[in-house]
Amino acid sequence: YIINGVYYTEQEVFGPNPTSPYTPLNQQEIETISILQDEKAVSIYGEKGKKGVVIITTKGGKPSPKKKE
């Protein structure tokens, strides 16, 4: 996953203990989602792109402030 230009693993975004500052990624915050597969993903992202790449751009271009609980 590439969110606003920064690479994150699936575990960092969706794992049981996510560490991405974008977690949880709220649908209303997403501006665009692009998916690259096969040779195109590998040609741009190398070995990290071999399973495909999901590119997400948020509306603000940065994580939303964490809500205080």
Side-chain angles (χ1 to χ4, degrees):
Y1 294 85
I2 307 221
I3 305 175
N4 295 327
V6 179
Y7 170 80
Y8 296 97
T9 65
E10 186 169 0
Q11 288 297 313
E12 290 172 317
V13 179
F14 300 110
N17 296 305
T19 56
S20 164
Y22 295 95
T23 303
L25 189 57
N26 189 338
Q27 182 177 353
Q28 288 81 12
E29 296 170 1
I30 297 172
E31 185 170 308
T32 63
I33 296 176
S34 302
I35 300 172
L36 301 179
Q37 298 178 334
D38 305 320
E39 298 87 29
K40 188 165 187 166
V42 173
S43 71
I44 297 171
Y45 296 101
E47 192 65 21
K48 289 181 180 178
K50 70 181 179 182
K51 293 183 180 179
V53 177
V54 176
I55 302 169
I56 300 171
T57 304
T58 62
K59 291 178 181 171
K62 57 187 176 186
S64 293
K66 297 283 184 192
K67 294 180 182 175
K68 294 181 181 180
E69 296 178 17

